[in-house]
């Protein structure tokens, strides 16, 4: 595989880890990257283009999650 981008999705000082997935979430034929912090991330998911350009941030506040979000297809 070819390296497309190298960037920090969250604060570079945070070493809690992330979970990520790549999929076309808006059905435009272009894959986006979804990234969530494993712990301590205030239930946030960040969406980036395949080359690392920030698109959107979502905050999960359903009352069930406790500072952890799982990103899965």
């Amino acid at each position: 595989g070819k390296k497309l981008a190298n960037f920090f999705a969250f604060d570079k000082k945070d070493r809690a880890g992330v979970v990520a997935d790549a999929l076309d979430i808006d059905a435009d034929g272009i894959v986006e990257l979804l990234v969530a912090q494993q712990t301590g991330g205030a239930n946030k998911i960040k969406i980036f283009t395949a080359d690392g350009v920030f698109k959107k941030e979502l905050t999960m506040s359903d009352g069930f999650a406790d500072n952890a979000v799982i990103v899965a297809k």
Side-chain angles (χ1 to χ4, degrees), residues 1-58:
K2 179 182 169 189
K3 183 178 186 179
L4 298 176
N6 184 13
F7 64 95
F8 288 97
F10 297 94
D11 187 333
K12 66 181 179 179
K13 294 183 232 168
D14 183 7
R15 300 294 180 197
V18 299
V19 290
D21 205 346
L23 64 150
D24 180 8
I25 62 168
D26 54 9
D28 64 356
I30 301 170
V31 172
E32 287 83 28
L33 304 174
L34 282 73
V35 185
Q37 289 178 297
Q38 285 187 319
T39 58
N43 301 325
K44 292 182 181 179
I45 296 174
K46 291 188 178 182
I47 302 170
F48 297 87
T49 63
D51 59 354
V53 176
F54 176 77
K55 287 181 78 171
K56 187 171 188 168
E57 181 176 289
L58 305 172

